[in-house]
Amino acid sequence: MLLSGRFEVFDSTQTETVYNPSSGQVIGQTPLAGPELVDRFVTQAAAALPAWQNTPVVERARIFFR
């Protein structure tokens, strides 16, 4: 999972199947996060918000396209 700009591996015994919405074909599996991990993600997202909301829209779009 991507957390604070870094990919981290988390122990998760539960996964969810990911489907291509146009074909219905299975394209992968994603780990499911427990409450503690969700709290970490929310805390990191809240900390990043001030800088992100001050980033110009054009730069945000460039980041997403990368």
Side-chain angles (χ1 to χ4, degrees):
M1 294 184 179
L2 184 64
L3 178 62
S4 297
R6 295 186 337 248
F7 282 102
E8 294 191 30
V9 176
F10 299 98
D11 292 332
S12 178
T13 58
Q14 295 180 312
T15 60
E16 183 68 31
T17 302
V18 179
Y19 298 92
N20 178 327
S22 64
S23 69
Q25 178 182 356
V26 174
I27 58 174
Q29 296 285 321
T30 189
L32 297 178
E36 298 83 17
L37 187 55
V38 170
D39 285 344
R40 281 185 61 197
F41 276 86
V42 171
T43 300
Q44 293 292 326
L49 180 61
W52 182 248
Q53 71 188 50
N54 291 327
T55 302
V57 173
V58 171
E59 180 59 25
R60 290 187 211 182
R62 286 185 183 126
I63 291 168
F64 279 115
F65 281 112
R66 276 190 272 157

Coordinates of all heavy atoms in Angstrom, one line a residue:
M1 N 0.8 -1.2 0.0 CA 0.0 0.0 0.0 C 0.9 1.2 0.0 O 2.0 1.2 0.5 CB -0.9 0.0 1.2 CG -1.9 -1.1 1.2 SD -3.0 -0.9 2.7 CE -4.1 -2.3 2.4
L2 N 0.4 2.3 -0.6 CA 1.1 3.6 -0.6 C 0.7 4.4 0.6 O -0.4 4.7 0.8 CB 0.8 4.3 -1.9 CG 1.5 5.6 -2.2 CD1 3.0 5.3 -2.4 CD2 1.0 6.2 -3.4
L3 N 1.7 4.7 1.4 CA 1.5 5.5 2.6 C 2.6 6.6 2.7 O 3.8 6.3 2.7 CB 1.5 4.6 3.9 CG 1.4 5.3 5.2 CD1 0.0 6.0 5.3 CD2 1.5 4.3 6.3
S4 N 2.2 7.8 2.7 CA 3.1 9.0 2.7 C 4.1 8.9 1.6 O 5.3 9.2 1.8 CB 3.8 9.0 4.1 OG 2.8 9.2 5.1
G5 N 3.7 8.6 0.4 CA 4.6 8.6 -0.7 C 5.5 7.4 -0.8 O 6.4 7.3 -1.7
R6 N 5.4 6.4 0.1 CA 6.2 5.2 0.0 C 5.3 4.0 0.0 O 4.3 3.9 0.6 CB 7.1 5.1 1.3 CG 8.1 6.2 1.5 CD 9.0 5.9 2.7 NE 8.4 5.1 3.7 CZ 8.0 5.5 4.9 NH1 8.2 6.7 5.3 NH2 7.5 4.6 5.8
F7 N 5.7 3.0 -0.8 CA 5.0 1.7 -0.8 C 5.5 0.9 0.4 O 6.7 0.8 0.7 CB 5.3 0.9 -2.1 CG 4.5 1.4 -3.2 CD1 5.1 2.2 -4.2 CD2 3.1 1.1 -3.3 CE1 4.3 2.7 -5.2 CE2 2.4 1.6 -4.4 CZ 3.0 2.4 -5.3
E8 N 4.5 0.4 1.2 CA 4.8 -0.4 2.4 C 4.1 -1.7 2.3 O 3.0 -1.7 1.8 CB 4.4 0.4 3.7 CG 5.2 1.6 3.9 CD 5.0 2.2 5.3 OE1 4.7 1.4 6.3 OE2 5.1 3.4 5.5
V9 N 4.7 -2.7 2.8 CA 4.1 -4.0 2.8 C 3.5 -4.2 4.2 O 4.1 -4.0 5.2 CB 5.1 -5.2 2.6 CG1 4.5 -6.5 2.7 CG2 5.7 -4.9 1.2
F10 N 2.2 -4.6 4.2 CA 1.5 -4.8 5.5 C 1.0 -6.3 5.5 O 0.6 -6.8 4.5 CB 0.3 -3.9 5.6 CG 0.6 -2.4 5.6 CD1 0.6 -1.7 4.5 CD2 1.1 -1.9 6.8 CE1 0.9 -0.3 4.5 CE2 1.4 -0.5 6.8 CZ 1.4 0.2 5.7
D11 N 1.1 -6.9 6.7 CA 0.5 -8.2 6.8 C -1.0 -8.1 6.8 O -1.6 -7.5 7.7 CB 1.0 -8.9 8.1 CG 2.5 -9.1 8.1 OD1 3.0 -9.4 7.0 OD2 3.1 -9.1 9.2
S12 N -1.6 -8.7 5.8 CA -3.0 -8.8 5.7 C -3.4 -10.1 5.2 O -3.0 -10.6 4.2 CB -3.5 -7.7 4.8 OG -4.9 -7.7 4.6
T13 N -4.3 -10.8 6.0 CA -4.8 -12.1 5.6 C -6.0 -12.0 4.7 O -6.4 -13.0 4.0 CB -5.1 -13.0 6.8 OG1 -6.1 -12.3 7.6 CG2 -3.9 -13.2 7.6
Q14 N -6.6 -10.8 4.6 CA -7.8 -10.6 3.8 C -7.5 -9.8 2.6 O -6.8 -8.8 2.7 CB -8.9 -10.0 4.6 CG -9.4 -10.8 5.7 CD -10.5 -10.1 6.5 OE1 -10.4 -8.9 6.8 NE2 -11.6 -10.8 6.7
T15 N -8.0 -10.2 1.4 CA -7.9 -9.4 0.2 C -9.2 -9.3 -0.5 O -10.2 -10.0 -0.2 CB -6.9 -10.1 -0.8 OG1 -7.4 -11.4 -1.1 CG2 -5.5 -10.3 -0.2
E16 N -9.3 -8.4 -1.4 CA -10.5 -8.1 -2.2 C -10.1 -8.2 -3.7 O -9.0 -7.7 -4.1 CB -11.0 -6.8 -1.9 CG -12.3 -6.4 -2.7 CD -13.5 -7.3 -2.2 OE1 -13.6 -7.7 -1.0 OE2 -14.4 -7.5 -3.0
T17 N -10.9 -8.9 -4.5 CA -10.6 -9.0 -5.9 C -10.9 -7.7 -6.6 O -11.8 -7.0 -6.3 CB -11.5 -10.1 -6.5 OG1 -11.3 -11.3 -5.8 CG2 -11.3 -10.3 -8.0
V18 N -10.0 -7.3 -7.5 CA -10.2 -6.1 -8.3 C -10.5 -6.5 -9.7 O -9.9 -7.4 -10.4 CB -8.9 -5.3 -8.3 CG1 -9.0 -4.0 -9.2 CG2 -8.4 -5.0 -6.9
Y19 N -11.6 -5.9 -10.3 CA -12.1 -6.2 -11.6 C -11.9 -5.0 -12.6 O -12.0 -3.9 -12.2 CB -13.6 -6.5 -11.5 CG -13.9 -7.7 -10.7 CD1 -14.2 -7.6 -9.3 CD2 -13.9 -9.0 -11.2 CE1 -14.5 -8.7 -8.5 CE2 -14.2 -10.1 -10.4 CZ -14.5 -9.9 -9.1 OH -14.8 -11.0 -8.3
N20 N -11.7 -5.4 -13.8 CA -11.7 -4.4 -14.9 C -13.2 -4.0 -15.1 O -14.0 -4.9 -15.4 CB -11.1 -4.9 -16.2 CG -11.1 -4.0 -17.3 OD1 -12.1 -3.1 -17.4 ND2 -10.2 -4.0 -18.2
P21 N -13.6 -2.8 -14.9 CA -15.0 -2.4 -14.9 C -15.6 -2.6 -16.3 O -16.8 -2.8 -16.5 CB -15.1 -1.0 -14.4 CG -13.7 -0.5 -14.6 CD -12.8 -1.6 -14.5
S22 N -14.8 -2.5 -17.4 CA -15.3 -2.6 -18.7 C -15.5 -4.0 -19.2 O -16.4 -4.3 -20.0 CB -14.5 -1.8 -19.7 OG -13.2 -2.4 -19.8
S23 N -14.7 -4.9 -18.6 CA -14.8 -6.3 -19.1 C -15.2 -7.3 -18.0 O -15.6 -8.4 -18.3 CB -13.4 -6.8 -19.6 OG -12.5 -6.9 -18.6
G24 N -15.1 -6.9 -16.8 CA -15.4 -7.8 -15.7 C -14.3 -8.8 -15.4 O -14.4 -9.6 -14.4
Q25 N -13.2 -8.7 -16.1 CA -12.1 -9.6 -15.9 C -11.3 -9.3 -14.6 O -11.2 -8.1 -14.3 CB -11.1 -9.5 -17.1 CG -9.9 -10.3 -17.0 CD -9.0 -10.1 -18.2 OE1 -9.3 -9.4 -19.1 NE2 -7.8 -10.7 -18.1
V26 N -10.9 -10.3 -13.9 CA -10.1 -10.1 -12.7 C -8.7 -9.6 -13.1 O -8.1 -10.1 -13.9 CB -10.0 -11.4 -11.9 CG1 -9.0 -11.2 -10.7 CG2 -11.3 -11.9 -11.4
I27 N -8.3 -8.5 -12.5 CA -7.0 -7.9 -12.8 C -6.1 -7.9 -11.6 O -4.9 -7.5 -11.7 CB -7.2 -6.4 -13.4 CG1 -7.9 -5.5 -12.4 CG2 -7.9 -6.5 -14.7 CD1 -7.9 -4.1 -12.8
G28 N -6.5 -8.3 -10.4 CA -5.6 -8.3 -9.3 C -6.3 -8.5 -8.0 O -7.6 -8.7 -7.9
Q29 N -5.6 -8.5 -6.9 CA -6.1 -8.5 -5.6 C -5.5 -7.4 -4.8 O -4.3 -7.0 -5.0 CB -5.6 -9.9 -4.9 CG -6.1 -11.1 -5.5 CD -7.6 -11.3 -5.2 OE1 -8.0 -11.1 -4.0 NE2 -8.3 -11.8 -6.1
T30 N -6.2 -6.8 -3.9 CA -5.7 -5.8 -3.0 C -5.9 -6.1 -1.6 O -6.9 -6.8 -1.2 CB -6.4 -4.4 -3.3 OG1 -5.8 -3.4 -2.6 CG2 -7.9 -4.4 -3.0
P31 N -5.0 -5.8 -0.7 CA -5.1 -6.2 0.7 C -6.2 -5.3 1.4 O -6.3 -4.1 1.0 CB -3.7 -5.9 1.3 CG -3.1 -5.0 0.4 CD -3.7 -5.2 -1.0
L32 N -6.8 -5.9 2.4 CA -7.8 -5.1 3.1 C -7.1 -4.6 4.4 O -6.4 -5.4 5.0 CB -9.0 -5.9 3.4 CG -9.8 -6.4 2.2 CD1 -11.0 -7.2 2.7 CD2 -10.3 -5.2 1.4
A33 N -7.4 -3.4 4.8 CA -6.7 -2.8 6.0 C -7.7 -2.9 7.2 O -8.9 -2.7 7.1 CB -6.4 -1.4 5.7
G34 N -7.1 -3.1 8.4 CA -7.8 -3.1 9.6 C -8.0 -1.7 10.2 O -7.4 -0.8 9.6
P35 N -8.7 -1.6 11.3 CA -8.9 -0.2 11.8 C -7.7 0.6 12.2 O -7.6 1.8 12.0 CB -9.7 -0.5 13.1 CG -10.3 -1.9 12.9 CD -9.4 -2.6 12.0
E36 N -6.6 -0.1 12.7 CA -5.4 0.6 13.1 C -4.7 1.1 11.9 O -4.2 2.3 11.9 CB -4.4 -0.4 13.9 CG -5.0 -0.9 15.2 CD -5.9 -2.1 15.0 OE1 -5.9 -2.8 13.9 OE2 -6.6 -2.4 15.9
L37 N -4.7 0.3 10.8 CA -4.0 0.8 9.6 C -4.8 1.9 8.9 O -4.2 2.9 8.5 CB -3.9 -0.4 8.6 CG -3.1 -0.1 7.3 CD1 -1.7 0.4 7.7 CD2 -3.0 -1.4 6.5
V38 N -6.1 1.8 9.0 CA -6.9 2.9 8.4 C -6.7 4.2 9.2 O -6.5 5.3 8.6 CB -8.4 2.5 8.5 CG1 -9.3 3.7 8.1 CG2 -8.7 1.4 7.5
D39 N -6.6 4.1 10.5 CA -6.2 5.3 11.3 C -4.9 5.9 10.9 O -4.8 7.1 10.8 CB -6.2 4.9 12.8 CG -7.6 4.8 13.4 OD1 -8.6 5.2 12.8 OD2 -7.6 4.2 14.5
R40 N -3.9 5.1 10.6 CA -2.6 5.6 10.2 C -2.8 6.4 8.8 O -2.2 7.4 8.6 CB -1.6 4.5 10.0 CG -1.0 4.0 11.3 CD 0.1 3.0 11.0 NE 1.2 3.5 10.2 CZ 2.1 2.7 9.6 NH1 2.0 1.4 9.7 NH2 3.0 3.2 8.9
F41 N -3.5 5.8 7.9 CA -3.7 6.4 6.6 C -4.5 7.7 6.8 O -4.1 8.7 6.1 CB -4.5 5.5 5.7 CG -3.7 4.5 5.0 CD1 -3.3 3.3 5.5 CD2 -3.2 4.8 3.7 CE1 -2.5 2.4 4.9 CE2 -2.4 3.9 3.0 CZ -2.0 2.7 3.6
V42 N -5.5 7.8 7.6 CA -6.3 9.0 7.8 C -5.4 10.1 8.4 O -5.4 11.2 8.0 CB -7.5 8.7 8.6 CG1 -8.2 10.0 9.0 CG2 -8.5 7.8 7.8
T43 N -4.6 9.7 9.4 CA -3.7 10.7 10.1 C -2.7 11.2 9.1 O -2.5 12.5 9.1 CB -3.0 10.0 11.3 OG1 -3.9 9.5 12.2 CG2 -2.0 10.9 11.9
Q44 N -2.1 10.4 8.3 CA -1.1 10.9 7.3 C -1.8 11.8 6.2 O -1.2 12.8 5.8 CB -0.5 9.7 6.6 CG 0.4 8.9 7.5 CD 1.7 9.6 7.9 OE1 2.2 10.4 7.2 NE2 2.1 9.4 9.1
A45 N -3.0 11.4 5.8 CA -3.7 12.2 4.8 C -4.1 13.6 5.4 O -3.9 14.6 4.7 CB -5.0 11.5 4.4
A46 N -4.5 13.6 6.6 CA -4.8 14.9 7.3 C -3.6 15.8 7.4 O -3.6 17.0 7.2 CB -5.4 14.6 8.7
A47 N -2.4 15.2 7.7 CA -1.2 15.9 7.8 C -0.7 16.5 6.5 O -0.1 17.6 6.4 CB -0.1 15.1 8.4
A48 N -1.0 15.8 5.4 CA -0.6 16.2 4.0 C -1.6 17.2 3.4 O -1.2 17.9 2.5 CB -0.5 15.0 3.1
L49 N -2.8 17.3 3.9 CA -3.8 18.2 3.3 C -3.4 19.7 3.2 O -3.5 20.2 2.1 CB -5.1 18.1 4.1 CG -6.2 19.0 3.5 CD1 -6.6 18.6 2.1 CD2 -7.5 18.9 4.4
P50 N -2.8 20.3 4.2 CA -2.5 21.8 4.0 C -1.5 22.0 2.8 O -1.8 22.9 2.0 CB -1.8 22.1 5.3 CG -2.3 21.2 6.3 CD -2.5 19.9 5.6
A51 N -0.5 21.2 2.6 CA 0.4 21.4 1.5 C -0.3 21.1 0.2 O -0.1 21.8 -0.8 CB 1.6 20.5 1.6
W52 N -1.1 20.0 0.2 CA -1.8 19.6 -1.0 C -2.8 20.6 -1.5 O -2.9 20.9 -2.7 CB -2.5 18.2 -0.8 CG -3.2 17.7 -2.0 CD1 -4.5 17.5 -2.2 CD2 -2.6 17.2 -3.2 NE1 -4.8 17.0 -3.4 CE2 -3.6 16.8 -4.0 CE3 -1.3 17.1 -3.6 CZ2 -3.4 16.2 -5.3 CZ3 -1.0 16.6 -4.9 CH2 -2.1 16.2 -5.7
Q53 N -3.6 21.2 -0.6 CA -4.6 22.2 -1.0 C -4.0 23.5 -1.5 O -4.6 24.2 -2.2 CB -5.6 22.4 0.1 CG -5.1 23.2 1.3 CD -6.1 23.2 2.4 OE1 -6.7 22.2 2.8 NE2 -6.4 24.4 3.0
N54 N -2.7 23.7 -1.1 CA -2.0 24.9 -1.6 C -1.3 24.6 -2.9 O -0.7 25.5 -3.5 CB -1.1 25.4 -0.6 CG -1.8 26.0 0.6 OD1 -2.9 26.6 0.5 ND2 -1.3 25.9 1.8
T55 N -1.3 23.4 -3.4 CA -0.6 23.0 -4.6 C -1.5 23.5 -5.8 O -2.7 23.1 -5.8 CB -0.4 21.5 -4.7 OG1 0.4 21.1 -3.6 CG2 0.3 21.1 -6.0
P56 N -1.0 24.2 -6.8 CA -1.8 24.6 -7.9 C -2.4 23.4 -8.6 O -1.8 22.3 -8.7 CB -0.8 25.3 -8.8 CG 0.3 25.7 -7.9 CD 0.4 24.7 -6.9
V57 N -3.6 23.6 -9.2 CA -4.4 22.5 -9.8 C -3.6 21.9 -11.0 O -3.6 20.7 -11.1 CB -5.7 23.1 -10.4 CG1 -6.4 22.0 -11.2 CG2 -6.6 23.5 -9.2
V58 N -2.8 22.7 -11.7 CA -2.0 22.2 -12.8 C -1.0 21.2 -12.3 O -0.8 20.1 -12.9 CB -1.4 23.3 -13.6 CG1 -0.4 22.8 -14.7 CG2 -2.5 24.2 -14.3
E59 N -0.3 21.5 -11.2 CA 0.7 20.7 -10.6 C 0.0 19.4 -10.1 O 0.6 18.3 -10.2 CB 1.5 21.4 -9.5 CG 2.5 20.5 -8.9 CD 3.6 20.0 -9.8 OE1 3.8 20.6 -10.9 OE2 4.2 18.9 -9.5
R60 N -1.1 19.5 -9.5 CA -1.9 18.3 -9.0 C -2.1 17.3 -10.1 O -2.0 16.1 -10.0 CB -3.2 18.7 -8.3 CG -3.1 19.4 -7.0 CD -4.4 19.6 -6.4 NE -4.5 20.8 -5.6 CZ -5.6 21.1 -5.0 NH1 -6.7 20.4 -5.0 NH2 -5.6 22.3 -4.3
A61 N -2.6 17.9 -11.3 CA -2.9 17.1 -12.4 C -1.6 16.4 -12.9 O -1.7 15.2 -13.3 CB -3.5 17.9 -13.5
R62 N -0.5 17.1 -12.9 CA 0.8 16.5 -13.4 C 1.1 15.3 -12.5 O 1.6 14.2 -12.9 CB 1.9 17.5 -13.3 CG 1.8 18.5 -14.4 CD 3.1 19.4 -14.4 NE 2.9 20.4 -15.5 CZ 3.0 21.7 -15.3 NH1 3.3 22.2 -14.1 NH2 2.9 22.5 -16.3
I63 N 0.9 15.4 -11.2 CA 1.2 14.4 -10.2 C 0.4 13.2 -10.5 O 0.8 12.0 -10.6 CB 1.0 14.9 -8.8 CG1 2.1 15.9 -8.4 CG2 1.0 13.7 -7.8 CD1 1.9 16.7 -7.2
F64 N -0.9 13.4 -10.8 CA -1.8 12.2 -11.0 C -1.5 11.6 -12.3 O -1.6 10.3 -12.4 CB -3.3 12.7 -11.1 CG -3.9 12.8 -9.7 CD1 -4.3 14.1 -9.2 CD2 -4.0 11.7 -8.9 CE1 -4.8 14.2 -8.0 CE2 -4.6 11.8 -7.6 CZ -5.0 13.1 -7.2
F65 N -1.0 12.3 -13.3 CA -0.7 11.7 -14.6 C 0.6 10.9 -14.5 O 0.8 10.0 -15.3 CB -0.6 12.7 -15.7 CG -2.0 13.1 -16.3 CD1 -2.5 14.4 -16.0 CD2 -2.7 12.2 -17.0 CE1 -3.7 14.7 -16.5 CE2 -4.0 12.5 -17.4 CZ -4.5 13.8 -17.2
R66 N 1.5 11.3 -13.6 CA 2.7 10.5 -13.4 C 2.4 9.2 -12.8 O 2.9 8.2 -13.0 CB 3.7 11.2 -12.5 CG 4.5 12.2 -13.2 CD 5.6 12.7 -12.3 NE 5.0 13.9 -11.6 CZ 5.5 14.4 -10.5 NH1 6.5 13.8 -9.9 NH2 4.9 15.4 -9.9

